[in-house]
Amino acid sequence: MSTETTQDRFDRLMEIMRKLRAPGGCPWDAEQSHESLKRYLLEESYEVIEAIDAKDDALLKEELGDLILQPVFHAAVAEERGAFTMDQVLDAINDKLVRRHPHVFGDQVIENSAAQVENWEKIKKTEKGDERKSALSGIPPHLPALMKAQKITEKAARVGFDWEHTDQVFAKVMEELHEFQEAMAAGDQQEMEAELGDLIFAIVNLGRFLSLDPEEALRKTIQRFTRRFSHVEETLHGRGRKLQDATLEEMDLIWEEAKKLEKGSI
């Protein structure tokens, strides 16, 4: 059994990264910068999500390791520039977690998770001072559009800019759908784009109002579509057919079969 502690293992990871970046190490690793590494941070995050969805603990363990490597890589690059060290990164997040959980590390009383979110935002605003003057400030500009839309509606809701009832939000969705239909009838491409954006935004707001994550909902829909489409392809291939040779009616029948298989009714 290994006698290494968690600290030992983390230190070893940092040393491995430093050696990879050092002269005589790995040319690819040595060439990387914060900018060139951005894509890998996103890719590894999504691979962790895939492992979670697959409920595969072995894969999740591997993907979490790949994800942890990314901040280690960035910290090594920053250390070389004399900007900051991994120790300072860890100090910063440790201090932040303690500051923003006074109900755990202090004597403040928080009734529920909603109250904690509100308190977190208050503390965050105090820490940032005058840096963030708008209620919508602090949202990363490069977030996926659906996620960004959700965060915007969440922030607006915290200052009272929100609907009172679900029916009102749903009515807004139907209003935006009607306006999109009007733009389609007029054949105005620019107006259609604007109204489509309004419709999607309204749907995101409806999801937020119902405590549904639109990014997660759409991602799962894409997964279902991909599985069912693959079933259509494989079924037709088994019949010696190609997609191009099948009728829409035939493909739709196989699609419905895929839906029943997923629900266990076949």
Side-chain angles (χ1 to χ4, degrees):
M1 184 176 178
S2 175
T3 59
E4 276 190 316
T5 65
T6 300
Q7 181 65 58
D8 292 335
R9 291 179 171 90
F10 194 82
D11 289 344
R12 184 156 59 95
L13 177 58
M14 285 298 305
E15 285 305 314
I16 290 171
M17 178 50 64
R18 292 187 183 107
K19 186 169 184 178
L20 289 171
R21 296 271 301 174
C26 173
W28 185 90
D29 288 280
E31 290 172 0
Q32 301 313 304
S33 65
H34 294 303
E35 290 72 22
S36 68
L37 291 169
K38 287 190 295 186
R39 56 171 290 191
Y40 301 108
L41 182 59
L42 288 173
E43 287 176 6
E44 298 300 349
S45 297
Y46 283 116
E47 288 180 7
V48 167
I49 292 173
E50 288 179 9
I52 293 172
D53 287 345
K55 294 180 172 54
D56 186 329
D57 286 338
L59 182 60
L60 179 58
K61 178 179 66 176
E62 177 183 349
E63 296 300 346
L64 283 174
D66 291 344
L67 181 59
I68 289 170
L69 178 63
Q70 295 309 305
V72 166
F73 213 145
H74 281 281
V77 174
E79 185 180 81
E80 292 166 13
R81 295 190 296 108
F84 56 81
T85 66
M86 177 56 81
D87 285 345
Q88 290 172 314
V89 172
L90 295 173
D91 284 342
I93 187 59
N94 286 337
D95 292 345
K96 180 188 291 186
L97 287 173
V98 171
R99 282 196 316 271
R100 295 189 184 178
H101 291 86
H103 56 295
V104 177
F105 301 101
D107 55 8
Q108 187 174 0
V109 176
I110 295 293
E111 296 179 358
N112 50 46
S113 60
Q116 162 56 14
V117 171
E118 183 178 351
N119 196 54
W120 176 285
E121 289 299 322
K122 285 180 181 178
I123 297 172
K124 186 175 180 181
K125 189 174 182 180
T126 301
E127 290 175 355
K128 299 295 180 181
D130 293 333
E131 182 182 339
R132 295 178 176 175
K133 296 181 180 179
S134 171
L136 301 182
S137 296
I139 299 175
H142 299 300
L143 281 179
L146 284 179
M147 192 181 298
K148 190 172 184 179
Q150 183 182 18
K151 286 191 173 294
I152 285 174
T153 61
E154 287 173 349
K155 283 181 173 285
R158 289 190 193 118
V159 294
F161 194 75
D162 200 8
W163 305 99
E164 294 181 356
H165 307 292
T166 307
D167 290 347
Q168 296 172 313
V169 194
F170 190 78
K172 183 63 176 176
V173 172
M174 299 309 294
E175 176 189 323
E176 297 297 352
L177 177 60
H178 179 67
E179 291 179 2
F180 178 61
Q181 290 173 320
E182 289 181 337
M184 285 179 60
D188 187 329
Q189 195 72 18
Q190 188 173 353
E191 188 65 17
M192 278 193 287
E193 181 185 62
E195 294 300 342
L196 179 61
D198 289 348
L199 175 59
I200 295 171
F201 192 86
I203 291 173
V204 168
N205 201 25
L206 176 62
R208 190 268 312 168
F209 204 85
L210 295 171
S211 300
L212 298 171
D213 185 336
E215 187 82 22
E216 184 74 1
L218 181 57
R219 194 172 59 80
K220 289 180 178 178
T221 291
I222 292 170
Q223 289 176 341
R224 288 194 298 273
F225 182 92
T226 302
R227 286 197 306 269
R228 293 169 187 174
F229 192 82
S230 295
H231 178 77
V232 172
E233 286 183 309
E234 292 167 5
T235 300
L236 287 171
H237 180 73
R239 298 174 183 175
R241 308 277 303 285
K242 295 181 179 179
L243 282 172
Q244 301 91 315
D245 300 329
T247 64
L248 181 59
E249 291 76 15
E250 185 178 5
M251 287 189 286
D252 192 53
L253 284 173
I254 302 172
W255 179 276
E256 290 300 319
E257 178 185 281
K259 288 174 63 176
K260 290 178 181 177
L261 283 170
E262 285 182 358
K263 294 177 180 179
S265 56
I266 291 183

PDB file of all heavy atoms in Angstrom, residues 51-84:
ATOM      1  N   ALA A  51     -18.604  11.342 -18.853  1.00  0.00           N
ATOM      2  CA  ALA A  51     -18.340  10.223 -17.939  1.00  0.00           C
ATOM      3  C   ALA A  51     -19.405  10.158 -16.849  1.00  0.00           C
ATOM      4  O   ALA A  51     -19.847   9.070 -16.454  1.00  0.00           O
ATOM      5  CB  ALA A  51     -16.957  10.365 -17.318  1.00  0.00           C
ATOM      6  N   ILE A  52     -19.836  11.331 -16.367  1.00  0.00           N
ATOM      7  CA  ILE A  52     -20.898  11.371 -15.360  1.00  0.00           C
ATOM      8  C   ILE A  52     -22.195  10.821 -15.947  1.00  0.00           C
ATOM      9  O   ILE A  52     -22.894  10.023 -15.308  1.00  0.00           O
ATOM     10  CB  ILE A  52     -21.097  12.810 -14.845  1.00  0.00           C
ATOM     11  CG1 ILE A  52     -19.866  13.269 -14.049  1.00  0.00           C
ATOM     12  CG2 ILE A  52     -22.360  12.899 -13.975  1.00  0.00           C
ATOM     13  CD1 ILE A  52     -19.881  14.731 -13.675  1.00  0.00           C
ATOM     14  N   ASP A  53     -22.516  11.251 -17.163  1.00  0.00           N
ATOM     15  CA  ASP A  53     -23.736  10.774 -17.814  1.00  0.00           C
ATOM     16  C   ASP A  53     -23.691   9.269 -18.041  1.00  0.00           C
ATOM     17  O   ASP A  53     -24.716   8.582 -17.953  1.00  0.00           O
ATOM     18  CB  ASP A  53     -23.941  11.488 -19.155  1.00  0.00           C
ATOM     19  CG  ASP A  53     -24.384  12.933 -18.978  1.00  0.00           C
ATOM     20  OD1 ASP A  53     -24.800  13.284 -17.857  1.00  0.00           O
ATOM     21  OD2 ASP A  53     -24.314  13.711 -19.951  1.00  0.00           O
ATOM     22  N   ALA A  54     -22.501   8.749 -18.341  1.00  0.00           N
ATOM     23  CA  ALA A  54     -22.346   7.314 -18.595  1.00  0.00           C
ATOM     24  C   ALA A  54     -22.364   6.498 -17.304  1.00  0.00           C
ATOM     25  O   ALA A  54     -22.433   5.268 -17.357  1.00  0.00           O
ATOM     26  CB  ALA A  54     -21.042   7.056 -19.344  1.00  0.00           C
ATOM     27  N   LYS A  55     -22.316   7.201 -16.158  1.00  0.00           N
ATOM     28  CA  LYS A  55     -22.266   6.530 -14.847  1.00  0.00           C
ATOM     29  C   LYS A  55     -21.134   5.506 -14.785  1.00  0.00           C
ATOM     30  O   LYS A  55     -21.273   4.414 -14.253  1.00  0.00           O
ATOM     31  CB  LYS A  55     -23.611   5.870 -14.522  1.00  0.00           C
ATOM     32  CG  LYS A  55     -24.747   6.873 -14.331  1.00  0.00           C
ATOM     33  CD  LYS A  55     -26.050   6.181 -14.003  1.00  0.00           C
ATOM     34  CE  LYS A  55     -27.145   7.177 -13.621  1.00  0.00           C
ATOM     35  NZ  LYS A  55     -27.368   8.248 -14.623  1.00  0.00           N
ATOM     36  N   ASP A  56     -20.004   5.901 -15.380  1.00  0.00           N
ATOM     37  CA  ASP A  56     -18.827   5.040 -15.464  1.00  0.00           C
ATOM     38  C   ASP A  56     -17.765   5.590 -14.514  1.00  0.00           C
ATOM     39  O   ASP A  56     -17.066   6.558 -14.834  1.00  0.00           O
ATOM     40  CB  ASP A  56     -18.310   5.020 -16.906  1.00  0.00           C
ATOM     41  CG  ASP A  56     -17.183   4.037 -17.132  1.00  0.00           C
ATOM     42  OD1 ASP A  56     -16.409   3.793 -16.181  1.00  0.00           O
ATOM     43  OD2 ASP A  56     -17.055   3.526 -18.259  1.00  0.00           O
ATOM     44  N   ASP A  57     -17.644   4.996 -13.330  1.00  0.00           N
ATOM     45  CA  ASP A  57     -16.725   5.516 -12.329  1.00  0.00           C
ATOM     46  C   ASP A  57     -15.262   5.437 -12.767  1.00  0.00           C
ATOM     47  O   ASP A  57     -14.469   6.341 -12.468  1.00  0.00           O
ATOM     48  CB  ASP A  57     -16.890   4.758 -11.010  1.00  0.00           C
ATOM     49  CG  ASP A  57     -18.171   5.147 -10.284  1.00  0.00           C
ATOM     50  OD1 ASP A  57     -18.694   6.248 -10.551  1.00  0.00           O
ATOM     51  OD2 ASP A  57     -18.662   4.355  -9.462  1.00  0.00           O
ATOM     52  N   ALA A  58     -14.900   4.378 -13.472  1.00  0.00           N
ATOM     53  CA  ALA A  58     -13.515   4.241 -13.928  1.00  0.00           C
ATOM     54  C   ALA A  58     -13.178   5.351 -14.921  1.00  0.00           C
ATOM     55  O   ALA A  58     -12.099   5.959 -14.862  1.00  0.00           O
ATOM     56  CB  ALA A  58     -13.308   2.864 -14.574  1.00  0.00           C
ATOM     57  N   LEU A  59     -14.116   5.622 -15.823  1.00  0.00           N
ATOM     58  CA  LEU A  59     -13.909   6.684 -16.805  1.00  0.00           C
ATOM     59  C   LEU A  59     -13.916   8.047 -16.127  1.00  0.00           C
ATOM     60  O   LEU A  59     -13.112   8.919 -16.465  1.00  0.00           O
ATOM     61  CB  LEU A  59     -15.002   6.626 -17.877  1.00  0.00           C
ATOM     62  CG  LEU A  59     -14.898   7.654 -19.015  1.00  0.00           C
ATOM     63  CD1 LEU A  59     -13.582   7.487 -19.771  1.00  0.00           C
ATOM     64  CD2 LEU A  59     -16.086   7.515 -19.963  1.00  0.00           C
ATOM     65  N   LEU A  60     -14.809   8.222 -15.154  1.00  0.00           N
ATOM     66  CA  LEU A  60     -14.877   9.491 -14.438  1.00  0.00           C
ATOM     67  C   LEU A  60     -13.567   9.770 -13.704  1.00  0.00           C
ATOM     68  O   LEU A  60     -13.062  10.892 -13.701  1.00  0.00           O
ATOM     69  CB  LEU A  60     -16.044   9.472 -13.444  1.00  0.00           C
ATOM     70  CG  LEU A  60     -16.228  10.728 -12.585  1.00  0.00           C
ATOM     71  CD1 LEU A  60     -16.426  11.964 -13.451  1.00  0.00           C
ATOM     72  CD2 LEU A  60     -17.413  10.549 -11.634  1.00  0.00           C
ATOM     73  N   LYS A  61     -13.002   8.739 -13.090  1.00  0.00           N
ATOM     74  CA  LYS A  61     -11.722   8.886 -12.391  1.00  0.00           C
ATOM     75  C   LYS A  61     -10.642   9.365 -13.353  1.00  0.00           C
ATOM     76  O   LYS A  61      -9.863  10.284 -13.037  1.00  0.00           O
ATOM     77  CB  LYS A  61     -11.322   7.550 -11.760  1.00  0.00           C
ATOM     78  CG  LYS A  61      -9.968   7.576 -11.042  1.00  0.00           C
ATOM     79  CD  LYS A  61      -9.645   6.228 -10.428  1.00  0.00           C
ATOM     80  CE  LYS A  61      -9.448   5.175 -11.505  1.00  0.00           C
ATOM     81  NZ  LYS A  61      -9.026   3.869 -10.930  1.00  0.00           N
ATOM     82  N   GLU A  62     -10.611   8.756 -14.537  1.00  0.00           N
ATOM     83  CA  GLU A  62      -9.607   9.134 -15.541  1.00  0.00           C
ATOM     84  C   GLU A  62      -9.823  10.560 -16.025  1.00  0.00           C
ATOM     85  O   GLU A  62      -8.873  11.355 -16.135  1.00  0.00           O
ATOM     86  CB  GLU A  62      -9.686   8.164 -16.729  1.00  0.00           C
ATOM     87  CG  GLU A  62      -8.723   8.516 -17.850  1.00  0.00           C
ATOM     88  CD  GLU A  62      -8.876   7.593 -19.053  1.00  0.00           C
ATOM     89  OE1 GLU A  62      -9.569   6.567 -18.937  1.00  0.00           O
ATOM     90  OE2 GLU A  62      -8.301   7.926 -20.119  1.00  0.00           O
ATOM     91  N   GLU A  63     -11.080  10.897 -16.328  1.00  0.00           N
ATOM     92  CA  GLU A  63     -11.376  12.219 -16.882  1.00  0.00           C
ATOM     93  C   GLU A  63     -11.170  13.326 -15.844  1.00  0.00           C
ATOM     94  O   GLU A  63     -10.771  14.439 -16.198  1.00  0.00           O
ATOM     95  CB  GLU A  63     -12.804  12.265 -17.433  1.00  0.00           C
ATOM     96  CG  GLU A  63     -13.059  11.324 -18.604  1.00  0.00           C
ATOM     97  CD  GLU A  63     -12.168  11.599 -19.802  1.00  0.00           C
ATOM     98  OE1 GLU A  63     -11.534  12.673 -19.854  1.00  0.00           O
ATOM     99  OE2 GLU A  63     -12.085  10.735 -20.691  1.00  0.00           O
ATOM    100  N   LEU A  64     -11.445  13.043 -14.586  1.00  0.00           N
ATOM    101  CA  LEU A  64     -11.170  14.036 -13.543  1.00  0.00           C
ATOM    102  C   LEU A  64      -9.678  14.319 -13.454  1.00  0.00           C
ATOM    103  O   LEU A  64      -9.264  15.468 -13.243  1.00  0.00           O
ATOM    104  CB  LEU A  64     -11.701  13.544 -12.193  1.00  0.00           C
ATOM    105  CG  LEU A  64     -13.208  13.655 -11.978  1.00  0.00           C
ATOM    106  CD1 LEU A  64     -13.600  12.986 -10.653  1.00  0.00           C
ATOM    107  CD2 LEU A  64     -13.677  15.107 -11.988  1.00  0.00           C
ATOM    108  N   GLY A  65      -8.868  13.278 -13.624  1.00  0.00           N
ATOM    109  CA  GLY A  65      -7.421  13.477 -13.646  1.00  0.00           C
ATOM    110  C   GLY A  65      -6.999  14.386 -14.783  1.00  0.00           C
ATOM    111  O   GLY A  65      -6.179  15.297 -14.611  1.00  0.00           O
ATOM    112  N   ASP A  66      -7.579  14.142 -15.973  1.00  0.00           N
ATOM    113  CA  ASP A  66      -7.266  14.983 -17.129  1.00  0.00           C
ATOM    114  C   ASP A  66      -7.684  16.430 -16.891  1.00  0.00           C
ATOM    115  O   ASP A  66      -6.996  17.370 -17.308  1.00  0.00           O
ATOM    116  CB  ASP A  66      -7.974  14.447 -18.377  1.00  0.00           C
ATOM    117  CG  ASP A  66      -7.407  13.115 -18.842  1.00  0.00           C
ATOM    118  OD1 ASP A  66      -6.290  12.757 -18.407  1.00  0.00           O
ATOM    119  OD2 ASP A  66      -8.074  12.433 -19.649  1.00  0.00           O
ATOM    120  N   LEU A  67      -8.828  16.593 -16.214  1.00  0.00           N
ATOM    121  CA  LEU A  67      -9.308  17.941 -15.934  1.00  0.00           C
ATOM    122  C   LEU A  67      -8.418  18.641 -14.908  1.00  0.00           C
ATOM    123  O   LEU A  67      -8.089  19.823 -15.058  1.00  0.00           O
ATOM    124  CB  LEU A  67     -10.749  17.892 -15.430  1.00  0.00           C
ATOM    125  CG  LEU A  67     -11.411  19.240 -15.115  1.00  0.00           C
ATOM    126  CD1 LEU A  67     -11.429  20.144 -16.344  1.00  0.00           C
ATOM    127  CD2 LEU A  67     -12.825  19.028 -14.587  1.00  0.00           C
ATOM    128  N   ILE A  68      -8.008  17.924 -13.867  1.00  0.00           N
ATOM    129  CA  ILE A  68      -7.133  18.501 -12.840  1.00  0.00           C
ATOM    130  C   ILE A  68      -5.807  18.949 -13.453  1.00  0.00           C
ATOM    131  O   ILE A  68      -5.210  19.938 -13.020  1.00  0.00           O
ATOM    132  CB  ILE A  68      -6.890  17.472 -11.713  1.00  0.00           C
ATOM    133  CG1 ILE A  68      -8.170  17.298 -10.887  1.00  0.00           C
ATOM    134  CG2 ILE A  68      -5.732  17.899 -10.813  1.00  0.00           C
ATOM    135  CD1 ILE A  68      -8.107  16.143  -9.906  1.00  0.00           C
ATOM    136  N   LEU A  69      -5.371  18.224 -14.485  1.00  0.00           N
ATOM    137  CA  LEU A  69      -4.113  18.580 -15.138  1.00  0.00           C
ATOM    138  C   LEU A  69      -4.147  19.996 -15.712  1.00  0.00           C
ATOM    139  O   LEU A  69      -3.121  20.684 -15.752  1.00  0.00           O
ATOM    140  CB  LEU A  69      -3.795  17.569 -16.245  1.00  0.00           C
ATOM    141  CG  LEU A  69      -2.525  17.841 -17.062  1.00  0.00           C
ATOM    142  CD1 LEU A  69      -1.297  17.786 -16.162  1.00  0.00           C
ATOM    143  CD2 LEU A  69      -2.401  16.822 -18.192  1.00  0.00           C
ATOM    144  N   GLN A  70      -5.321  20.444 -16.138  1.00  0.00           N
ATOM    145  CA  GLN A  70      -5.412  21.758 -16.795  1.00  0.00           C
ATOM    146  C   GLN A  70      -5.033  22.907 -15.873  1.00  0.00           C
ATOM    147  O   GLN A  70      -4.196  23.745 -16.235  1.00  0.00           O
ATOM    148  CB  GLN A  70      -6.802  21.946 -17.396  1.00  0.00           C
ATOM    149  CG  GLN A  70      -7.125  20.973 -18.523  1.00  0.00           C
ATOM    150  CD  GLN A  70      -6.040  20.930 -19.575  1.00  0.00           C
ATOM    151  OE1 GLN A  70      -5.668  21.952 -20.146  1.00  0.00           O
ATOM    152  NE2 GLN A  70      -5.506  19.738 -19.827  1.00  0.00           N
ATOM    153  N   PRO A  71      -5.619  23.036 -14.659  1.00  0.00           N
ATOM    154  CA  PRO A  71      -5.157  24.115 -13.777  1.00  0.00           C
ATOM    155  C   PRO A  71      -3.704  23.960 -13.352  1.00  0.00           C
ATOM    156  O   PRO A  71      -3.012  24.962 -13.128  1.00  0.00           O
ATOM    157  CB  PRO A  71      -6.106  24.042 -12.570  1.00  0.00           C
ATOM    158  CG  PRO A  71      -6.768  22.717 -12.656  1.00  0.00           C
ATOM    159  CD  PRO A  71      -6.805  22.353 -14.093  1.00  0.00           C
ATOM    160  N   VAL A  72      -3.237  22.720 -13.241  1.00  0.00           N
ATOM    161  CA  VAL A  72      -1.826  22.494 -12.929  1.00  0.00           C
ATOM    162  C   VAL A  72      -0.949  23.047 -14.048  1.00  0.00           C
ATOM    163  O   VAL A  72       0.070  23.706 -13.818  1.00  0.00           O
ATOM    164  CB  VAL A  72      -1.554  20.985 -12.715  1.00  0.00           C
ATOM    165  CG1 VAL A  72      -0.054  20.683 -12.735  1.00  0.00           C
ATOM    166  CG2 VAL A  72      -2.167  20.522 -11.402  1.00  0.00           C
ATOM    167  N   PHE A  73      -1.366  22.789 -15.299  1.00  0.00           N
ATOM    168  CA  PHE A  73      -0.637  23.279 -16.475  1.00  0.00           C
ATOM    169  C   PHE A  73      -0.601  24.810 -16.469  1.00  0.00           C
ATOM    170  O   PHE A  73       0.458  25.440 -16.629  1.00  0.00           O
ATOM    171  CB  PHE A  73      -1.335  22.770 -17.744  1.00  0.00           C
ATOM    172  CG  PHE A  73      -0.420  22.498 -18.900  1.00  0.00           C
ATOM    173  CD1 PHE A  73      -0.673  21.449 -19.779  1.00  0.00           C
ATOM    174  CD2 PHE A  73       0.685  23.303 -19.140  1.00  0.00           C
ATOM    175  CE1 PHE A  73       0.161  21.192 -20.857  1.00  0.00           C
ATOM    176  CE2 PHE A  73       1.526  23.060 -20.211  1.00  0.00           C
ATOM    177  CZ  PHE A  73       1.262  22.009 -21.077  1.00  0.00           C
ATOM    178  N   HIS A  74      -1.764  25.429 -16.256  1.00  0.00           N
ATOM    179  CA  HIS A  74      -1.838  26.892 -16.246  1.00  0.00           C
ATOM    180  C   HIS A  74      -0.999  27.483 -15.119  1.00  0.00           C
ATOM    181  O   HIS A  74      -0.340  28.513 -15.290  1.00  0.00           O
ATOM    182  CB  HIS A  74      -3.293  27.350 -16.112  1.00  0.00           C
ATOM    183  CG  HIS A  74      -4.062  27.279 -17.393  1.00  0.00           C
ATOM    184  ND1 HIS A  74      -3.945  28.239 -18.381  1.00  0.00           N
ATOM    185  CD2 HIS A  74      -4.948  26.357 -17.847  1.00  0.00           C
ATOM    186  CE1 HIS A  74      -4.744  27.927 -19.392  1.00  0.00           C
ATOM    187  NE2 HIS A  74      -5.355  26.783 -19.098  1.00  0.00           N
ATOM    188  N   ALA A  75      -1.028  26.837 -13.960  1.00  0.00           N
ATOM    189  CA  ALA A  75      -0.248  27.335 -12.824  1.00  0.00           C
ATOM    190  C   ALA A  75       1.252  27.258 -13.115  1.00  0.00           C
ATOM    191  O   ALA A  75       2.020  28.146 -12.725  1.00  0.00           O
ATOM    192  CB  ALA A  75      -0.587  26.536 -11.566  1.00  0.00           C
ATOM    193  N   ALA A  76       1.669  26.192 -13.804  1.00  0.00           N
ATOM    194  CA  ALA A  76       3.084  26.046 -14.158  1.00  0.00           C
ATOM    195  C   ALA A  76       3.510  27.149 -15.121  1.00  0.00           C
ATOM    196  O   ALA A  76       4.606  27.722 -14.983  1.00  0.00           O
ATOM    197  CB  ALA A  76       3.328  24.667 -14.777  1.00  0.00           C
ATOM    198  N   VAL A  77       2.657  27.453 -16.088  1.00  0.00           N
ATOM    199  CA  VAL A  77       2.953  28.534 -17.040  1.00  0.00           C
ATOM    200  C   VAL A  77       3.046  29.867 -16.298  1.00  0.00           C
ATOM    201  O   VAL A  77       3.958  30.672 -16.534  1.00  0.00           O
ATOM    202  CB  VAL A  77       1.871  28.601 -18.135  1.00  0.00           C
ATOM    203  CG1 VAL A  77       2.094  29.815 -19.044  1.00  0.00           C
ATOM    204  CG2 VAL A  77       1.865  27.319 -18.978  1.00  0.00           C
ATOM    205  N   ALA A  78       2.095  30.111 -15.392  1.00  0.00           N
ATOM    206  CA  ALA A  78       2.080  31.369 -14.633  1.00  0.00           C
ATOM    207  C   ALA A  78       3.311  31.473 -13.716  1.00  0.00           C
ATOM    208  O   ALA A  78       3.883  32.552 -13.542  1.00  0.00           O
ATOM    209  CB  ALA A  78       0.804  31.459 -13.807  1.00  0.00           C
ATOM    210  N   GLU A  79       3.707  30.344 -13.141  1.00  0.00           N
ATOM    211  CA  GLU A  79       4.876  30.308 -12.255  1.00  0.00           C
ATOM    212  C   GLU A  79       6.136  30.714 -13.019  1.00  0.00           C
ATOM    213  O   GLU A  79       6.962  31.477 -12.513  1.00  0.00           O
ATOM    214  CB  GLU A  79       5.019  28.893 -11.688  1.00  0.00           C
ATOM    215  CG  GLU A  79       6.116  28.732 -10.666  1.00  0.00           C
ATOM    216  CD  GLU A  79       6.196  27.296 -10.161  1.00  0.00           C
ATOM    217  OE1 GLU A  79       6.789  26.442 -10.857  1.00  0.00           O
ATOM    218  OE2 GLU A  79       5.633  27.021  -9.085  1.00  0.00           O
ATOM    219  N   GLU A  80       6.248  30.224 -14.245  1.00  0.00           N
ATOM    220  CA  GLU A  80       7.403  30.567 -15.077  1.00  0.00           C
ATOM    221  C   GLU A  80       7.440  32.059 -15.398  1.00  0.00           C
ATOM    222  O   GLU A  80       8.509  32.656 -15.517  1.00  0.00           O
ATOM    223  CB  GLU A  80       7.366  29.759 -16.381  1.00  0.00           C
ATOM    224  CG  GLU A  80       7.581  28.273 -16.190  1.00  0.00           C
ATOM    225  CD  GLU A  80       7.203  27.475 -17.431  1.00  0.00           C
ATOM    226  OE1 GLU A  80       7.023  28.106 -18.496  1.00  0.00           O
ATOM    227  OE2 GLU A  80       7.066  26.243 -17.337  1.00  0.00           O
ATOM    228  N   ARG A  81       6.253  32.655 -15.524  1.00  0.00           N
ATOM    229  CA  ARG A  81       6.175  34.088 -15.838  1.00  0.00           C
ATOM    230  C   ARG A  81       6.353  34.952 -14.593  1.00  0.00           C
ATOM    231  O   ARG A  81       6.433  36.174 -14.688  1.00  0.00           O
ATOM    232  CB  ARG A  81       4.821  34.414 -16.466  1.00  0.00           C
ATOM    233  CG  ARG A  81       4.569  33.790 -17.804  1.00  0.00           C
ATOM    234  CD  ARG A  81       3.316  34.348 -18.471  1.00  0.00           C
ATOM    235  NE  ARG A  81       2.088  34.049 -17.746  1.00  0.00           N
ATOM    236  CZ  ARG A  81       1.382  34.942 -17.058  1.00  0.00           C
ATOM    237  NH1 ARG A  81       1.775  36.205 -16.973  1.00  0.00           N
ATOM    238  NH2 ARG A  81       0.263  34.588 -16.434  1.00  0.00           N
ATOM    239  N   GLY A  82       6.375  34.308 -13.424  1.00  0.00           N
ATOM    240  CA  GLY A  82       6.485  35.062 -12.186  1.00  0.00           C
ATOM    241  C   GLY A  82       5.173  35.727 -11.792  1.00  0.00           C
ATOM    242  O   GLY A  82       5.150  36.682 -11.008  1.00  0.00           O
ATOM    243  N   ALA A  83       4.063  35.218 -12.357  1.00  0.00           N
ATOM    244  CA  ALA A  83       2.755  35.823 -12.095  1.00  0.00           C
ATOM    245  C   ALA A  83       2.165  35.336 -10.775  1.00  0.00           C
ATOM    246  O   ALA A  83       1.786  36.134  -9.921  1.00  0.00           O
ATOM    247  CB  ALA A  83       1.793  35.510 -13.249  1.00  0.00           C
ATOM    248  N   PHE A  84       2.080  34.036 -10.607  1.00  0.00           N
ATOM    249  CA  PHE A  84       1.582  33.444  -9.362  1.00  0.00           C
ATOM    250  C   PHE A  84       1.943  31.967  -9.341  1.00  0.00           C
ATOM    251  O   PHE A  84       2.355  31.410 -10.360  1.00  0.00           O
ATOM    252  CB  PHE A  84       0.066  33.627  -9.202  1.00  0.00           C
ATOM    253  CG  PHE A  84      -0.751  33.089 -10.369  1.00  0.00           C
ATOM    254  CD1 PHE A  84      -1.050  31.743 -10.474  1.00  0.00           C
ATOM    255  CD2 PHE A  84      -1.220  33.960 -11.345  1.00  0.00           C
ATOM    256  CE1 PHE A  84      -1.792  31.244 -11.539  1.00  0.00           C
ATOM    257  CE2 PHE A  84      -1.961  33.476 -12.416  1.00  0.00           C
ATOM    258  CZ  PHE A  84      -2.256  32.121 -12.516  1.00  0.00           C
TER     259      PHE A  84
END
